[in-house]
Amino acid sequence: MRIKNKKNGLFIILSSPSGAGKTTIAKKLLKNNKNIELSISYTTRKKRPLEKNKKDYKFISEGEFTKLKKKKYFLEWAKVFNNYYGTSFLQVQKINNKGKDVLFDIDWQGSKKIKRKLGKDVVSIFILPPSKKELVKRLKKRAQDPDHIVRERLSFYKMELSHWKEYKYVLVNKSLNETVKKINSIIETERIIKQKKDLILKKIRNL
Ligand code: 5GP
């Protein structure tokens, strides 16, 4: 199945090592930008105390995940830190049909697959923490994960970090407001570039 981008929306990917602040950034971005909607992923991970089902994730069992996978329900899926995560094809198509941009809060594996499937309309952004010390602080401050989970996530840090080259934009998240501002400018610029490209394509077809 393919996403038909009839209304010419963008597909915005946000990735980062765990604890770099990506989910907070995504929330702020969505609050101030009514033309962007979040793709709410399915996951087999346990719900954190402050998370809400169907708002942060759709929390499902491994059995349910396997069933959906078999039905080809996911636009992409991946195993991240021993849990499964997947993007709903249908939800992405619905957001796109409304003429809105889709925001994906996904890892590097998902990013590769989305880029392959949605190609030229993808804007990929990688968020870096200002330092490893700050990342450890944020992971601990979140205090929603037990210690062994925090340790597990830290052990993946270098590997996750190594994927920065696969993204079009790389930002250091020193201050939340500044990072969100930069992402807003990136999105605005990418919208203009896309409109221009589409106009040129239309013109060329008629020449
Ligand atoms: P967390 O468990 O901290 O919410 O997320 C762990 C990692 O999984 C994060 O990097 C997050 O962006 C990624 N992730 C969340 N949803 C998806 C998804 O649907 N697909 C993929 N590939 N990664 C996801």
Side-chain angles (χ1 to χ4, degrees), residues 170-186:
V170 180
L171 301 177
V172 179
N173 183 23
K174 276 197 207 119
S175 121
L176 174 66
N177 285 342
E178 278 306 306
T179 307
V180 172
K181 237 191 219 170
K182 281 182 193 156
I183 297 179
N184 272 322
S185 317
I186 290 173

Side-chain angles (χ1 to χ4, degrees), residues 14-19 22-23 39-43 45 48 51 57 76-81 83-88 104-111 113 142 145 153 160:
L14 275 189
S15 296
S16 75
S18 194
K22 168 186 45 162
T23 304
S39 153
I40 300 171
S41 299
Y42 284 74
T43 185
R45 165 167 77 61
R48 293 185 186 124
E51 283 177 329
Y57 279 109
E76 65 77 35
W77 67 270
K79 191 176 185 188
V80 191
F81 312 124
N83 296 302
Y84 291 96
Y85 296 82
T87 301
S88 153
F104 300 92
D105 173 340
I106 55 175
D107 83 327
W108 61 274
Q109 305 173 77
S111 169
K113 291 177 197 161
R142 180 155 78 191
D145 287 325
R153 289 191 168 218
E160 290 196 290

Side-chain angles (χ1 to χ4, degrees), residues 38-45 52-60 65 68 73-74 76-78 84-89 91-92 103-107:
L38 179 70
S39 153
I40 300 171
S41 299
Y42 284 74
T43 185
T44 62
R45 165 167 77 61
K52 290 205 172 78
N53 188 29
K54 297 190 181 162
K55 196 163 175 279
D56 296 293
Y57 279 109
K58 289 166 186 152
F59 294 94
I60 56 172
F65 195 94
L68 291 176
Y73 186 82
F74 297 124
E76 65 77 35
W77 67 270
Y84 291 96
Y85 296 82
T87 301
S88 153
F89 173 90
Q91 196 202 2
V92 173
L103 181 67
F104 300 92
D105 173 340
I106 55 175
D107 83 327

Side-chain angles (χ1 to χ4, degrees), residues 2 8 14 23 29 31 47-48 67 74 78 84 92 94 100-101 117-118 139 152 159 164 171 176 188 197:
R2 285 184 64 85
N8 285 325
L14 275 189
T23 304
L29 207 60
K31 202 172 161 200
K47 193 171 84 59
R48 293 185 186 124
K67 270 190 206 154
F74 297 124
Y84 291 96
V92 173
K94 271 189 190 159
K100 292 187 172 188
D101 300 332
K117 291 198 172 167
L118 304 177
L139 272 176
E152 180 188 64
M159 183 278 291
W164 67 272
L171 301 177
L176 174 66
E188 255 172 53
K197 270 191 199 155

